[in-house]
Amino acid sequence: MIVRVAAFLLACAIPGTALAQDAGHGTHDMTAPDGQTAPGDERPKRMAAPKDARAYIIWPSNGTVINGGKFWVRMGLQNYGVAPAGVRREGTGHHHLIIDSELPPLDEPIPNDRNHLHFGGGQTEARVELPPGQHTLQMLLGDADHVPHDPPVTSSKITITVR
Amino acid sequence: MRSSALVAAVAAGFVSVFVALAPGAAPADDRHPAPKDAYAYIGWPNDGEVVTGRFKVWLGLRNFGVAPSGVDKPNTGHHHLLIDVGVPPLDEPIPNDRNHVHLGAGQTETYLELPPGRHTLQLLMGDADHVPHDPPVTSKKITITVR
Ligand SMILES: [Cu+2]
Ligand SMILES: [Cu+2]
C-alpha cells in the first residue's frame, strides 16, 4: 500500500540542541559486506520442492492440432504456488515454457531465449506464436533466480501441430 | 502523502513544529491498479456443472500475474474464491472465512468439499494485503450443483 499508514513527521529544532532529523524513508542498505561471499564458481543451492508438486499443461493437450500459429498456453500447478521472479518464498516458483527443446541443466538458471520463455511476472498463461509444423512444449518451474527446484517441478513434454 | 495537511507552528521564533496528517481511513484510490484487460475466470468447474464430493477448482488468469500474499509487485495478486456470497466491499481486505477462501501461497488450483445442493463460485484477486485491485480482477459468478 502506498499510504495506508499515516505518515507522521515531526521536526523540532531548538537553538543549542541541533537535532539532525532523517526522515527515515530511505531504504536501509542491507547489502552484505563483500569478502564473505562464496567462491565465484559455486552453484546456487537449488530450492527444495515436495515430491507431489507437479506442473502440467492444461491446454493444449498432447496431440492438439492448432489452426493458425497464435494460441494461449494454460499452465497448471498442483501442490505448489506461483511467485514472480525475484521473490524467494518457500513453496513457490515461476513458470517457464520450453519450446522445441530438451530440459536445460537443472543446476543453473534456465536460459532466456526463444526456446525458453520466462513468466517472471507470475503469469499462468502464455500467448505463443509458432510457425506451421510439429512442436514440443514442456513446463519447468524456476525459483527466484530462475534455477529449477530439487526435484524439478516439470510437466510432461507434449507435441502439438500448428497448421 | 496525498491530501495531507501541513501545519506549521512557530512559537516564540525558536521552536518549529511540522506535522503531516494523513487521513485515518484508507482511501479508495489507494487500491493497486489493474490493467483493463486483466481477466480472471474459473477454468473448472464449468457454469452449471454437476460435481460429486470433493472436487477440483482451477483458477485462470490472463494479462495479470500471481504472487503470494504479502508480496507487493505491480500487476500481481493472489486468488480468492468466493463461495455462496457476493463480491465484498472493494476498498478493504477481503474477509477470511468459509465463504472467502484465500489462496495466499500463490496456488492456482484447490479442492473444495461442499454440502449437496446448489452453490455459487466466483474468483476475486486481492493484492499483497488482500485488497481487490482497481478495477477489480474478478470472474463471472458460476453456479454448480453438488450431488
Ligand atoms: Cu525465469
Ligand atoms: Cu487474500
Side-chain angles (χ1 to χ4, degrees):
Chain A
M1 295 290 83
I2 306 158
V3 191
R4 184 130 297 166
V5 184
F8 188 78
L9 188 84
L10 175 75
C12 184
I14 300 166
T17 320
L19 197 96
Q21 184 82 22
D22 182 346
H25 291 303
T27 47
H28 290 272
D29 188 13
M30 299 293 278
T31 320
D34 260 335
Q36 57 180 41
T37 47
D41 62 349
E42 191 169 298
R43 300 284 187 201
K45 195 179 183 312
R46 286 167 65 195
M47 198 171 177
K51 285 212 174 68
D52 62 354
R54 187 174 84 90
Y56 64 103
I57 298 176
I58 298 170
W59 201 91
S61 48
N62 194 27
T64 299
V65 177
I66 294 160
N67 289 309
K70 258 189 181 173
F71 57 99
W72 283 96
V73 178
R74 294 166 163 172
M75 298 177 284
L77 188 59
Q78 289 177 345
N79 304 310
Y80 219 59
V82 174
V87 172
R88 185 160 289 277
R89 175 149 331 179
E90 208 54 48
T92 69
H94 64 277
H95 291 309
H96 300 82
L97 191 62
I98 300 176
I99 302 174
D100 298 331
S101 182
E102 298 300 316
L103 284 184
L106 298 175
D107 56 355
E108 53 185 66
I110 298 165
N112 191 358
D113 55 36
R114 52 188 303 158
N115 297 106
H116 305 81
L117 307 183
H118 290 241
F119 298 94
Q123 303 96 316
T124 54
E125 305 207 3
R127 187 78 170 152
V128 171
E129 184 164 16
L130 293 174
Q134 281 215 346
H135 299 280
T136 64
L137 300 176
Q138 187 171 12
M139 281 171 62
L140 175 62
L141 243 70
D143 67 12
D145 301 316
H146 317 277
V147 178
H149 298 76
D150 187 14
V153 181
T154 183
S155 75
S156 58
K157 187 198 255 188
I158 67 163
T159 302
I160 59 162
T161 304
V162 171
R163 271 218 185 107
Chain B
M1 288 204 284
R2 290 166 242 159
S3 66
S4 62
L6 181 69
V7 180
V10 181
F14 55 87
V15 178
S16 305
V17 181
F18 298 90
V19 184
L21 298 168
D29 63 4
D30 227 17
R31 286 163 57 197
H32 282 52
K36 285 216 174 65
D37 64 352
Y39 169 61
Y41 64 96
I42 298 176
W44 178 262
N46 295 321
D47 197 9
E49 198 70 48
V50 177
V51 298
T52 35
R54 188 170 175 264
F55 60 98
K56 177 178 176 164
V57 180
W58 76 258
L59 310 167
L61 187 62
R62 265 179 204 181
N63 304 316
F64 212 62
V66 174
S69 66
V71 172
D72 197 350
K73 286 240 174 189
N75 294 325
T76 69
H78 63 280
H79 291 293
H80 300 80
L81 204 49
L82 311 180
I83 305 170
D84 297 331
V85 75
V87 171
L90 297 175
D91 55 356
E92 53 186 69
I94 298 165
N96 192 356
D97 55 35
R98 51 189 303 160
N99 298 106
H100 305 81
V101 176
H102 292 242
L103 302 176
Q107 305 98 311
T108 54
E109 56 185 62
T110 190
Y111 283 87
L112 285 183
E113 199 161 358
L114 296 174
R118 271 162 73 108
H119 297 279
T120 65
L121 298 176
Q122 186 171 2
L123 182 55
L124 176 62
M125 300 302 289
D127 66 16
D129 300 317
H130 317 278
V131 177
H133 300 77
D134 188 14
V137 182
T138 186
S139 77
K140 159 179 176 225
K141 189 196 254 189
I142 67 165
T143 303
I144 58 164
T145 303
V146 176
R147 279 244 168 86

